[in-house]
Amino acid sequence: MTQVRCLDISRFSSDDYAALYAEASEVRKRRADRYLRQEDRVRCVAAEALLRLVPGYRQEALACTPAGKLYFKAGGMHFNLSHSGRWVVIAWGTDPVGIDVEQLQMDKGKLKLARRYFCQDEQDYLFAAPVQEQAERFYRIWTGKESYLKYLGTGIDRPLQSFSILKELPETRLHTHVLKEAYMTVCSKENIHCCEVTLQQLLAK
């Protein structure tokens, strides 16, 4: 079973940030301090707080692939993080996993992205929908593509238009969830268990 946890940071106060910062590793604190915007600092320390939920997590056990995907040096659990807008999310399990969350913000620029990066069948599926349904279809496809690439660990080395999520993907499945003001897709071989966590639950760990 792939575990998924979602954290809404939209109402975090300065005291909430201070509490998370106090629990963060020195590495994470230095990274957070480099950000100019407070919301980026919050996402940074919140991501590590979610990481602490993963069984066997230790900061010193982490490494990063050339494509930028974090992993445990000694194997064990696989995990993946994503954030956008009010949400910071994580997925973990005994098999590879990818996760992507995107804040809902539909405009003409998204349709240009679709024409550039979506396969023809994905474009046909998107533009066949009434205008009021196009956002749902766009974000289903976009988060599906991003989560699959993160599952593979290839990053942007594999073009988005090189595969269609409307067709069966080898040995894996896509699980899409609608969050408040966002869409999230998890790519995993396994079934998933998804729930929202609170700041208090993270600080209790």
Side-chain angles (χ1 to χ4, degrees):
M1 180 76 71
T2 296
Q3 300 293 328
V4 181
R5 300 293 182 268
C6 309
L7 177 66
D8 184 352
I9 63 171
S10 60
R11 295 184 179 180
F12 275 25
S13 66
S14 57
D15 288 342
D16 293 334
Y17 173 71
L20 279 178
Y21 187 88
E23 296 290 325
S25 66
E26 292 304 314
V27 171
R28 185 65 56 156
K29 287 177 181 177
R30 288 195 295 271
R31 182 189 294 184
D33 291 343
R34 289 198 293 267
Y35 287 112
L36 297 177
R37 299 191 307 170
Q38 178 64 13
E39 61 228 62
D40 292 326
R41 296 191 190 104
V42 173
R43 292 187 188 104
C44 183
V45 295
E48 188 180 71
L50 287 175
L51 263 174
R52 290 196 293 270
L53 299 176
V54 181
Y57 167 76
R58 290 179 297 111
Q59 172 64 40
E60 60 272 20
L62 289 179
C64 190
T65 69
K69 185 175 183 178
L70 287 170
Y71 67 96
F72 287 127
K73 300 173 191 174
M77 286 288 176
H78 296 263
F79 66 91
N80 199 218
L81 287 155
S82 183
H83 60 76
S84 181
R86 67 195 297 158
W87 293 102
V88 183
V89 298
I90 189 170
W92 74 84
T94 54
D95 289 309
V97 62
I99 189 170
D100 187 60
V101 64
E102 297 291 340
Q103 181 178 2
L104 278 171
Q105 196 174 8
M106 196 64 180
D107 52 38
K108 292 182 180 178
K110 298 297 188 300
L111 299 181
K112 290 181 180 179
L113 285 176
R115 289 190 173 96
R116 181 175 180 182
Y117 293 112
F118 287 5
C119 299
Q120 190 59 55
D121 63 336
E122 293 168 333
Q123 292 187 44
D124 293 344
Y125 172 74
L126 171 62
F127 292 110
V131 172
Q132 62 270 25
E133 295 178 19
Q134 287 183 355
E136 176 184 348
R137 295 193 179 191
F138 173 85
Y139 282 103
R140 178 192 167 199
I141 296 169
W142 187 266
T143 59
K145 283 180 170 289
E146 290 282 348
S147 66
Y148 182 59
L149 289 181
K150 294 174 79 176
Y151 166 86
L152 295 176
T154 61
I156 60 173
D157 288 345
R158 179 169 179 173
L160 286 171
Q161 60 269 52
S162 67
F163 63 95
S164 169
I165 69 149
L166 300 181
K167 299 175 181 176
E168 187 172 347
L169 299 173
E171 299 182 357
T172 190
R173 290 186 296 160
L174 299 176
H175 311 263
T176 299
H177 290 253
V178 180
L179 303 175
K180 189 172 184 179
E181 300 177 0
Y183 267 75
M184 177 184 74
T185 298
V186 181
C187 184
S188 171
K189 295 178 182 178
E190 308 172 306
N191 291 327
I192 71 169
H193 175 250
C194 177
C195 64
E196 188 173 341
V197 293
T198 65
L199 173 66
Q200 290 69 29
Q201 289 171 320
L202 291 179
L203 294 176
K205 293 297 180 181

